[in-house]
Amino acid sequence: RAGRRRELRRPFISPTVFAPFSSRQLELHAMRSAGGGASSVLPQSLAEQDALHWRDAKFRHFRDEMDSALAQFVYAQEWADLIRYLQRMQRILTKYAQLPVIPDKIAVAKRLFQCLNSSLPSGVHLTTLQTYELIFSRIGAARLARDLAFYTEGIFTLYRHASYQVKPVLLDLFERHFVTLGAGVVPCLPGLVLALLTAMEDV
């Protein structure tokens, strides 16, 4: 009896509590918004697909290499260091291009956000946008719609202080990866609209 009482008192926490963006409804909505329609519905949820990739031996190597690359950013002394570290991230992303998931996406997004600081030169901004392009192209519309909160931090406000070399690259990124989300872009719509309105002043 005592053992049973202890067992009953043991708290139960569903794994879905820690995955608020992985519901089946959000996934299907994002895919339809991206133009996939019913024929593009995947047989597994994004969370299930991601879990399969996490168990892949290649993903473990991918994660270890990415963790090593991310750890370098704390040692940056000048902006040239940031470009070098971003280029290393790009090589790792290209090396594991067959995996549509990003290890520790929150830490990756944080470093990319820091590299969009207005005090940094355009070379850092361009290399950062190239890294975003690699990530968005590999994860696809459904995962981007799910993870907008991570990847849009700082990217919309960049246009206000971007150089003329950076602005067209940034607008192309918006057109290719955000506008095509359809209704899936609604969570970040205010930031996107503000960036586009700022861009209209240059027309």
Side-chain angles (χ1 to χ4, degrees):
R1 265 188 185 176
R4 187 178 179 183
R5 282 198 298 270
R6 282 196 296 271
E7 183 177 349
L8 291 174
R9 291 193 188 112
R10 188 176 302 157
F12 173 76
I13 301 177
S14 169
T16 58
V17 172
F18 300 102
F21 299 107
S22 63
S23 73
R24 184 64 169 169
Q25 290 180 340
L26 285 177
E27 175 202 346
L28 296 179
H29 176 68
M31 293 184 66
R32 291 193 186 102
S33 300
S39 62
S40 299
V41 174
L42 299 175
Q44 296 173 313
S45 70
L46 288 180
E48 291 169 333
Q49 291 181 65
D50 290 353
L52 288 176
H53 290 300
W54 294 337
R55 292 194 291 267
D56 191 324
K58 290 182 180 179
F59 181 81
R60 290 194 291 271
H61 294 303
F62 183 20
R63 180 192 59 208
D64 292 342
E65 291 187 36
M66 187 62 75
D67 286 345
S68 176
L70 290 171
Q72 285 188 310
F73 280 82
V74 299
Y75 302 109
Q77 298 293 321
E78 54 186 9
W79 61 264
D81 294 332
L82 295 176
I83 291 180
R84 188 166 63 254
Y85 301 155
L86 288 167
Q87 289 173 339
R88 183 183 176 189
M89 284 180 61
Q90 292 175 9
R91 290 193 296 270
I92 295 171
L93 289 167
T94 303
K95 180 179 178 180
Y96 296 97
Q98 71 275 21
L99 296 172
V101 289
I102 304 297
D104 203 354
K105 58 191 173 187
I106 297 177
V108 170
K110 175 184 176 182
R111 292 307 180 193
L112 294 179
F113 164 66
Q114 291 172 335
C115 291
L116 295 179
N117 190 291
S118 60
S119 64
L120 294 171
S122 60
V124 177
H125 295 161
L126 284 171
T127 310
T128 305
L129 293 180
Q130 292 167 1
T131 310
Y132 275 117
E133 173 66 34
L134 282 175
I135 292 174
F136 295 165
S137 297
R138 74 183 295 152
I139 65 177
R143 286 185 177 86
L144 178 57
R146 180 191 64 184
D147 298 334
L148 279 174
F150 305 131
Y151 293 119
T152 56
E153 188 69 30
I155 199 169
F156 296 132
T157 56
L158 173 64
Y159 194 90
R160 292 202 304 267
H161 54 258
S163 68
Y164 284 107
Q165 295 93 339
V166 173
K167 287 180 177 180
V169 178
L170 183 58
L171 290 175
D172 183 65
L173 192 76
F174 292 162
E175 181 180 3
R176 286 166 48 81
H177 297 289
F178 290 96
V179 175
T180 54
L181 290 179
V185 80
V186 168
C188 69
L189 193 58
L192 177 60
V193 170
L194 183 60
L196 295 178
L197 288 175
T198 305
M200 291 179 63
E201 298 176 2
D202 295 335
V203 177

